[in-house]
Amino acid sequence: MKIFAVGMNYVEHNKELNNTLLITEKYERKTEEPVIFTKADSALLKNGKPFFIPDFMGRIDHEAELVVRICRLGKGIPEKFAHRYYDAVTVGVDFTAREVQKKAKDLGRPWTIAKGFDGSAVIGEWVPIARSEERSTFNIQDLHFHLDINGSTVQTGFSGDMLYKVDELIAYISRFFTLKTGDLLYTGTPVGVGPVHIDDHIEGYLEGQKVLDFWCK
């Protein structure tokens, strides 16, 4: 199983991180490529298990994201057929060691440790995508989601605001990596990222349905 993730896929989130890799104009959009990184399989955290904060890594930020599940083998997938390669969606959290990431950026080094440490890829319960004539019966780019911490909403997202859409991402990633059944794609986080603390209760919602529920320890 591979875990792919996308950085800087929402304009407002780019602004809150000091305009890093900001893409706003159509012309710039066409000349840029998605920011893709991976997480180790040991990063996966599911079934409501608690997230143990690695305090030795400094500040750990939550990044709520839509996550899609790859359902078939594919390589070099045309964008027009990309919708056939995922069968479920959920809300996940891409935990980020922010200070470690900043240091890596400043030194021109990869984000691997900051993004891929154990437990950093949380996923909720899968919501199957019902299909009709090989197409999804709902629009993957028309989904609302939000993340609550201790009963208060801290992040709200709409998939229609993505700079790079899900099908575009799948087509792009599959140019370099063979996608396999069970692979995951974290599609980027909207504005509102922030630190988590011990005893925080985190809940994620997709179209009003709670699909994610866990505690930080």
mmCIF file of all heavy atoms in Angstrom, residues 171-202:
data_model
loop_
_atom_site.group_PDB
_atom_site.id
_atom_site.type_symbol
_atom_site.label_atom_id
_atom_site.label_comp_id
_atom_site.label_asym_id
_atom_site.label_seq_id
_atom_site.Cartn_x
_atom_site.Cartn_y
_atom_site.Cartn_z
ATOM 1 N N ALA A 171 -4.330 11.143 -12.611
ATOM 2 C CA ALA A 171 -3.659 11.059 -13.911
ATOM 3 C C ALA A 171 -2.194 11.446 -13.781
ATOM 4 O O ALA A 171 -1.308 10.791 -14.354
ATOM 5 C CB ALA A 171 -4.372 11.958 -14.923
ATOM 6 N N TYR A 172 -1.919 12.488 -13.016
ATOM 7 C CA TYR A 172 -0.539 12.958 -12.866
ATOM 8 C C TYR A 172 0.317 11.949 -12.107
ATOM 9 O O TYR A 172 1.400 11.562 -12.562
ATOM 10 C CB TYR A 172 -0.531 14.304 -12.135
ATOM 11 C CG TYR A 172 0.852 14.851 -11.901
ATOM 12 C CD1 TYR A 172 1.556 15.494 -12.911
ATOM 13 C CD2 TYR A 172 1.472 14.713 -10.657
ATOM 14 C CE1 TYR A 172 2.832 15.987 -12.703
ATOM 15 C CE2 TYR A 172 2.748 15.204 -10.437
ATOM 16 C CZ TYR A 172 3.426 15.841 -11.456
ATOM 17 O OH TYR A 172 4.695 16.317 -11.242
ATOM 18 N N ILE A 173 -0.159 11.492 -10.953
ATOM 19 C CA ILE A 173 0.615 10.559 -10.129
ATOM 20 C C ILE A 173 0.896 9.265 -10.875
ATOM 21 O O ILE A 173 1.985 8.690 -10.780
ATOM 22 C CB ILE A 173 -0.127 10.284 -8.806
ATOM 23 C CG1 ILE A 173 -0.145 11.555 -7.939
ATOM 24 C CG2 ILE A 173 0.523 9.131 -8.032
ATOM 25 C CD1 ILE A 173 -1.047 11.461 -6.723
ATOM 26 N N SER A 174 -0.102 8.805 -11.644
ATOM 27 C CA SER A 174 0.054 7.518 -12.331
ATOM 28 C C SER A 174 1.059 7.580 -13.481
ATOM 29 O O SER A 174 1.412 6.547 -14.050
ATOM 30 C CB SER A 174 -1.301 7.022 -12.848
ATOM 31 O OG SER A 174 -1.762 7.802 -13.939
ATOM 32 N N ARG A 175 1.528 8.766 -13.820
ATOM 33 C CA ARG A 175 2.612 8.866 -14.797
ATOM 34 C C ARG A 175 3.916 8.336 -14.217
ATOM 35 O O ARG A 175 4.783 7.836 -14.940
ATOM 36 C CB ARG A 175 2.817 10.331 -15.228
ATOM 37 C CG ARG A 175 1.706 10.916 -16.072
ATOM 38 C CD ARG A 175 1.835 12.413 -16.192
ATOM 39 N NE ARG A 175 3.143 12.808 -16.712
ATOM 40 C CZ ARG A 175 3.607 14.057 -16.717
ATOM 41 N NH1 ARG A 175 2.862 15.047 -16.198
ATOM 42 N NH2 ARG A 175 4.795 14.338 -17.218
ATOM 43 N N PHE A 176 4.064 8.447 -12.889
ATOM 44 C CA PHE A 176 5.319 8.114 -12.231
ATOM 45 C C PHE A 176 5.242 6.855 -11.370
ATOM 46 O O PHE A 176 6.250 6.177 -11.156
ATOM 47 C CB PHE A 176 5.763 9.289 -11.350
ATOM 48 C CG PHE A 176 5.767 10.607 -12.057
ATOM 49 C CD1 PHE A 176 4.706 11.483 -11.932
ATOM 50 C CD2 PHE A 176 6.831 10.969 -12.874
ATOM 51 C CE1 PHE A 176 4.703 12.704 -12.579
ATOM 52 C CE2 PHE A 176 6.843 12.175 -13.535
ATOM 53 C CZ PHE A 176 5.782 13.058 -13.392
ATOM 54 N N PHE A 177 4.046 6.568 -10.844
ATOM 55 C CA PHE A 177 3.850 5.438 -9.943
ATOM 56 C C PHE A 177 2.705 4.570 -10.452
ATOM 57 O O PHE A 177 1.667 5.095 -10.855
ATOM 58 C CB PHE A 177 3.493 5.897 -8.526
ATOM 59 C CG PHE A 177 4.504 6.790 -7.876
ATOM 60 C CD1 PHE A 177 4.412 8.169 -7.993
ATOM 61 C CD2 PHE A 177 5.553 6.255 -7.133
ATOM 62 C CE1 PHE A 177 5.344 9.006 -7.379
ATOM 63 C CE2 PHE A 177 6.482 7.074 -6.520
ATOM 64 C CZ PHE A 177 6.378 8.452 -6.641
ATOM 65 N N THR A 178 2.867 3.273 -10.386
ATOM 66 C CA THR A 178 1.751 2.365 -10.664
ATOM 67 C C THR A 178 0.807 2.387 -9.466
ATOM 68 O O THR A 178 1.216 2.101 -8.339
ATOM 69 C CB THR A 178 2.258 0.934 -10.897
ATOM 70 O OG1 THR A 178 3.110 0.922 -12.049
ATOM 71 C CG2 THR A 178 1.091 -0.020 -11.121
ATOM 72 N N LEU A 179 -0.433 2.748 -9.695
ATOM 73 C CA LEU A 179 -1.428 2.741 -8.632
ATOM 74 C C LEU A 179 -1.948 1.328 -8.440
ATOM 75 O O LEU A 179 -2.188 0.600 -9.409
ATOM 76 C CB LEU A 179 -2.578 3.687 -8.974
ATOM 77 C CG LEU A 179 -2.205 5.165 -9.115
ATOM 78 C CD1 LEU A 179 -3.438 5.993 -9.426
ATOM 79 C CD2 LEU A 179 -1.516 5.675 -7.854
ATOM 80 N N LYS A 180 -2.140 0.955 -7.173
ATOM 81 C CA LYS A 180 -2.604 -0.384 -6.853
ATOM 82 C C LYS A 180 -3.811 -0.313 -5.926
ATOM 83 O O LYS A 180 -4.002 0.670 -5.193
ATOM 84 C CB LYS A 180 -1.489 -1.205 -6.198
ATOM 85 C CG LYS A 180 -0.289 -1.444 -7.110
ATOM 86 C CD LYS A 180 0.749 -2.318 -6.430
ATOM 87 C CE LYS A 180 1.924 -2.601 -7.359
ATOM 88 N NZ LYS A 180 2.932 -3.491 -6.722
ATOM 89 N N THR A 181 -4.610 -1.361 -5.948
ATOM 90 C CA THR A 181 -5.783 -1.439 -5.085
ATOM 91 C C THR A 181 -5.378 -1.229 -3.626
ATOM 92 O O THR A 181 -4.454 -1.881 -3.135
ATOM 93 C CB THR A 181 -6.467 -2.803 -5.233
ATOM 94 O OG1 THR A 181 -6.858 -2.974 -6.590
ATOM 95 C CG2 THR A 181 -7.685 -2.897 -4.327
ATOM 96 N N GLY A 182 -6.053 -0.301 -2.960
ATOM 97 C CA GLY A 182 -5.766 -0.027 -1.558
ATOM 98 C C GLY A 182 -4.867 1.164 -1.333
ATOM 99 O O GLY A 182 -4.725 1.632 -0.192
ATOM 100 N N ASP A 183 -4.241 1.691 -2.385
ATOM 101 C CA ASP A 183 -3.454 2.910 -2.238
ATOM 102 C C ASP A 183 -4.376 4.062 -1.830
ATOM 103 O O ASP A 183 -5.582 4.061 -2.148
ATOM 104 C CB ASP A 183 -2.754 3.275 -3.550
ATOM 105 C CG ASP A 183 -1.578 2.363 -3.871
ATOM 106 O OD1 ASP A 183 -1.173 1.576 -2.985
ATOM 107 O OD2 ASP A 183 -1.067 2.447 -4.996
ATOM 108 N N LEU A 184 -3.819 5.049 -1.144
ATOM 109 C CA LEU A 184 -4.596 6.185 -0.657
ATOM 110 C C LEU A 184 -4.066 7.482 -1.233
ATOM 111 O O LEU A 184 -2.860 7.637 -1.447
ATOM 112 C CB LEU A 184 -4.536 6.252 0.870
ATOM 113 C CG LEU A 184 -4.932 5.003 1.653
ATOM 114 C CD1 LEU A 184 -4.801 5.257 3.147
ATOM 115 C CD2 LEU A 184 -6.353 4.570 1.302
ATOM 116 N N LEU A 185 -4.986 8.426 -1.449
ATOM 117 C CA LEU A 185 -4.606 9.753 -1.920
ATOM 118 C C LEU A 185 -5.208 10.812 -1.009
ATOM 119 O O LEU A 185 -6.425 10.982 -0.954
ATOM 120 C CB LEU A 185 -5.087 9.969 -3.361
ATOM 121 C CG LEU A 185 -4.903 11.381 -3.926
ATOM 122 C CD1 LEU A 185 -3.434 11.794 -3.913
ATOM 123 C CD2 LEU A 185 -5.494 11.483 -5.332
ATOM 124 N N TYR A 186 -4.346 11.507 -0.269
ATOM 125 C CA TYR A 186 -4.730 12.680 0.518
ATOM 126 C C TYR A 186 -4.676 13.881 -0.412
ATOM 127 O O TYR A 186 -3.641 14.161 -1.012
ATOM 128 C CB TYR A 186 -3.771 12.874 1.698
ATOM 129 C CG TYR A 186 -4.004 11.941 2.853
ATOM 130 C CD1 TYR A 186 -3.764 10.574 2.747
ATOM 131 C CD2 TYR A 186 -4.472 12.431 4.074
ATOM 132 C CE1 TYR A 186 -3.980 9.720 3.807
ATOM 133 C CE2 TYR A 186 -4.689 11.577 5.155
ATOM 134 C CZ TYR A 186 -4.441 10.225 5.018
ATOM 135 O OH TYR A 186 -4.667 9.373 6.071
ATOM 136 N N THR A 187 -5.797 14.601 -0.541
ATOM 137 C CA THR A 187 -5.954 15.558 -1.629
ATOM 138 C C THR A 187 -5.615 17.004 -1.283
ATOM 139 O O THR A 187 -5.822 17.895 -2.100
ATOM 140 C CB THR A 187 -7.389 15.490 -2.171
ATOM 141 O OG1 THR A 187 -8.304 15.762 -1.099
ATOM 142 C CG2 THR A 187 -7.677 14.125 -2.768
ATOM 143 N N GLY A 188 -5.085 17.250 -0.087
ATOM 144 C CA GLY A 188 -4.709 18.605 0.288
ATOM 145 C C GLY A 188 -5.628 19.173 1.350
ATOM 146 O O GLY A 188 -6.776 18.746 1.511
ATOM 147 N N THR A 189 -5.129 20.145 2.081
ATOM 148 C CA THR A 189 -5.883 20.703 3.211
ATOM 149 C C THR A 189 -6.311 22.138 2.942
ATOM 150 O O THR A 189 -5.577 22.919 2.330
ATOM 151 C CB THR A 189 -5.036 20.646 4.499
ATOM 152 O OG1 THR A 189 -5.869 20.935 5.635
ATOM 153 C CG2 THR A 189 -3.887 21.634 4.475
ATOM 154 N N PRO A 190 -7.512 22.520 3.402
ATOM 155 C CA PRO A 190 -7.943 23.910 3.311
ATOM 156 C C PRO A 190 -7.344 24.749 4.438
ATOM 157 O O PRO A 190 -6.596 24.238 5.274
ATOM 158 C CB PRO A 190 -9.464 23.804 3.439
ATOM 159 C CG PRO A 190 -9.664 22.614 4.321
ATOM 160 C CD PRO A 190 -8.558 21.647 3.949
ATOM 161 N N VAL A 191 -7.691 26.019 4.457
ATOM 162 C CA VAL A 191 -7.187 26.938 5.472
ATOM 163 C C VAL A 191 -7.625 26.492 6.873
ATOM 164 O O VAL A 191 -8.629 25.810 7.040
ATOM 165 C CB VAL A 191 -7.698 28.369 5.171
ATOM 166 C CG1 VAL A 191 -9.194 28.472 5.388
ATOM 167 C CG2 VAL A 191 -6.929 29.411 5.970
ATOM 168 N N GLY A 192 -6.841 26.861 7.886
ATOM 169 C CA GLY A 192 -7.225 26.596 9.269
ATOM 170 C C GLY A 192 -6.367 25.611 10.010
ATOM 171 O O GLY A 192 -6.731 25.179 11.102
ATOM 172 N N VAL A 193 -5.212 25.239 9.447
ATOM 173 C CA VAL A 193 -4.349 24.286 10.138
ATOM 174 C C VAL A 193 -3.875 24.877 11.465
ATOM 175 O O VAL A 193 -3.754 26.092 11.609
ATOM 176 C CB VAL A 193 -3.143 23.886 9.265
ATOM 177 C CG1 VAL A 193 -3.610 23.312 7.940
ATOM 178 C CG2 VAL A 193 -2.202 25.058 9.032
ATOM 179 N N GLY A 194 -3.595 23.990 12.423
ATOM 180 C CA GLY A 194 -3.145 24.458 13.719
ATOM 181 C C GLY A 194 -2.664 23.313 14.577
ATOM 182 O O GLY A 194 -2.809 22.141 14.217
ATOM 183 N N PRO A 195 -2.095 23.625 15.737
ATOM 184 C CA PRO A 195 -1.493 22.590 16.588
ATOM 185 C C PRO A 195 -2.519 21.750 17.331
ATOM 186 O O PRO A 195 -3.631 22.198 17.613
ATOM 187 C CB PRO A 195 -0.650 23.408 17.570
ATOM 188 C CG PRO A 195 -1.350 24.728 17.658
ATOM 189 C CD PRO A 195 -1.902 24.983 16.278
ATOM 190 N N VAL A 196 -2.125 20.517 17.638
ATOM 191 C CA VAL A 196 -2.943 19.644 18.476
ATOM 192 C C VAL A 196 -2.238 19.437 19.808
ATOM 193 O O VAL A 196 -1.028 19.644 19.925
ATOM 194 C CB VAL A 196 -3.210 18.285 17.806
ATOM 195 C CG1 VAL A 196 -4.076 18.465 16.574
ATOM 196 C CG2 VAL A 196 -1.908 17.575 17.447
ATOM 197 N N HIS A 197 -3.029 19.035 20.799
ATOM 198 C CA HIS A 197 -2.507 18.880 22.148
ATOM 199 C C HIS A 197 -3.037 17.593 22.768
ATOM 200 O O HIS A 197 -4.050 17.030 22.314
ATOM 201 C CB HIS A 197 -2.913 20.075 23.017
ATOM 202 C CG HIS A 197 -2.545 21.406 22.432
ATOM 203 N ND1 HIS A 197 -3.413 22.111 21.622
ATOM 204 C CD2 HIS A 197 -1.398 22.134 22.519
ATOM 205 C CE1 HIS A 197 -2.829 23.237 21.254
ATOM 206 N NE2 HIS A 197 -1.609 23.274 21.773
ATOM 207 N N ILE A 198 -2.373 17.139 23.797
ATOM 208 C CA ILE A 198 -2.829 15.956 24.522
ATOM 209 C C ILE A 198 -4.257 16.169 25.023
ATOM 210 O O ILE A 198 -4.615 17.256 25.490
ATOM 211 C CB ILE A 198 -1.879 15.656 25.697
ATOM 212 C CG1 ILE A 198 -0.516 15.196 25.163
ATOM 213 C CG2 ILE A 198 -2.460 14.592 26.614
ATOM 214 C CD1 ILE A 198 0.532 15.017 26.235
ATOM 215 N N ASP A 199 -5.079 15.145 24.887
ATOM 216 C CA ASP A 199 -6.483 15.113 25.279
ATOM 217 C C ASP A 199 -7.412 15.850 24.313
ATOM 218 O O ASP A 199 -8.616 15.987 24.602
ATOM 219 C CB ASP A 199 -6.696 15.656 26.702
ATOM 220 C CG ASP A 199 -6.079 14.747 27.755
ATOM 221 O OD1 ASP A 199 -6.005 13.522 27.517
ATOM 222 O OD2 ASP A 199 -5.666 15.254 28.814
ATOM 223 N N ASP A 200 -6.918 16.302 23.172
ATOM 224 C CA ASP A 200 -7.809 16.854 22.152
ATOM 225 C C ASP A 200 -8.675 15.735 21.577
ATOM 226 O O ASP A 200 -8.190 14.627 21.304
ATOM 227 C CB ASP A 200 -7.009 17.486 21.007
ATOM 228 C CG ASP A 200 -6.566 18.905 21.315
ATOM 229 O OD1 ASP A 200 -7.050 19.485 22.305
ATOM 230 O OD2 ASP A 200 -5.736 19.443 20.550
ATOM 231 N N HIS A 201 -9.946 16.040 21.382
ATOM 232 C CA HIS A 201 -10.890 15.112 20.762
ATOM 233 C C HIS A 201 -11.149 15.603 19.339
ATOM 234 O O HIS A 201 -11.665 16.713 19.142
ATOM 235 C CB HIS A 201 -12.195 15.071 21.556
ATOM 236 C CG HIS A 201 -13.200 14.106 21.013
ATOM 237 N ND1 HIS A 201 -14.556 14.246 21.226
ATOM 238 C CD2 HIS A 201 -13.061 12.970 20.269
ATOM 239 C CE1 HIS A 201 -15.202 13.253 20.648
ATOM 240 N NE2 HIS A 201 -14.322 12.462 20.059
ATOM 241 N N ILE A 202 -10.809 14.801 18.345
ATOM 242 C CA ILE A 202 -10.881 15.228 16.954
ATOM 243 C C ILE A 202 -11.965 14.434 16.222
ATOM 244 O O ILE A 202 -12.013 13.207 16.296
ATOM 245 C CB ILE A 202 -9.516 15.042 16.261
ATOM 246 C CG1 ILE A 202 -8.467 15.913 16.970
ATOM 247 C CG2 ILE A 202 -9.607 15.387 14.775
ATOM 248 C CD1 ILE A 202 -7.087 15.854 16.369
#
